[in-house]
Amino acid sequence: MEDVKQNIDELMEEWLQSGHLRQGDIFVIGCSTSEIAGKRIGTSGSEEIAGIIFQAMNKLRDKAGVRLAFQCCEHLNRALVVERETVREQHLEEVSVVPVPKAGGSMASYAYKHMHDPAVVEFITAQAGVDIGETMIGMHIQHVAVPLRLKQRFVGDARVTAAYSRPKLIGGARANYENTRMDGSCK
């Protein structure tokens, strides 16, 4: 468990240093605690691992000022657990379900039990996110998603993929993209 904590802390520090998170951004977390433990996704969920990940995500939230969205598994159509405040601010539609480890996943279930005022939504458009264990968060990332290459490529035994978004480029050859969120890496 100490390795998992060290891995996730390093991963969150890289995110903070990346410069791709802004106050108020939605940050989606897809996480297979089974994969982190070296097992097949959906087979060996762990509340203990979920707790470690949840604590690290809360630190990211506090330091970067982002809103967290914990993705459920495919049994709940990859719905997301968010704070009810996010539902109101983002004008999201709440759905009636409570994630549990076998239907929602250990991470989403843990988040639901430990958030201040949790709610579940079916869809969200996040500005950034992390996928720990190949849980397929891409459906929740705003267009245009840009991969973020992190040094910390694993949490436990689970592979890590990360992405942030940038505004779409419009206007063609005559357009000016100065003073935008473009960092030059997408040319």
Side-chain angles (χ1 to χ4, degrees), residues 4-180:
V4 170
K5 182 174 178 355
Q6 182 178 343
N7 293 161
I8 194 67
D9 287 346
E10 289 174 12
L11 183 67
M12 292 305 98
E13 188 57 35
E14 279 191 75
W15 260 111
L16 288 168
Q17 299 302 315
S18 75
H20 294 297
L21 297 177
R22 292 184 174 191
Q23 179 85 26
D25 280 355
I26 296 172
F27 188 88
V28 66
I29 301 101
C31 178
S32 169
T33 60
S34 298
E35 290 280 334
I36 290 171
K39 307 293 184 192
R40 187 169 172 264
I41 194 169
T43 62
S44 302
S46 166
E47 292 257 324
E48 184 179 5
I49 291 172
I52 293 168
I53 304 302
F54 187 78
Q55 288 176 358
M57 293 301 142
N58 279 334
K59 288 178 190 172
L60 180 74
R61 180 201 64 212
D62 294 344
K63 289 181 178 181
V66 296
R67 295 180 182 96
L68 302 178
F70 291 88
Q71 179 182 272
C72 297
C73 71
E74 73 275 10
H75 296 103
L76 296 185
N77 298 333
R78 303 202 193 290
L80 303 114
V81 179
V82 298
E83 291 286 0
R84 193 168 312 281
E85 178 181 26
T86 301
V87 172
R88 286 191 294 271
E89 289 174 355
Q90 299 294 311
H91 307 287
L92 301 171
E93 183 178 348
E94 185 176 356
V95 294
S96 295
V97 69
V98 174
V100 295
K102 295 292 182 190
S106 294
M107 185 72 252
S109 174
Y110 189 93
Y112 191 90
K113 289 186 253 182
H114 291 88
M115 286 179 139
H116 173 68
D117 188 14
V120 178
V121 298
E122 197 170 4
F123 305 104
I124 206 160
T125 303
Q127 288 70 43
V130 65
D131 188 322
I132 305 168
E134 301 174 341
T135 62
M136 311 304 239
I137 66 166
M139 64 191 284
H140 299 300
I141 301 291
Q142 172 181 310
H143 293 162
V144 173
V146 180
L148 179 60
R149 305 282 186 232
L150 300 169
K151 292 177 188 169
Q152 185 62 46
R153 301 292 293 176
F154 285 85
V155 172
D157 288 336
R159 285 185 272 208
V160 171
T161 305
Y164 63 95
S165 62
R166 64 152 176 83
K168 296 176 184 179
L169 300 175
I170 63 168
R174 293 183 182 191
N176 179 343
Y177 303 115
E178 291 178 23
N179 300 317
T180 69

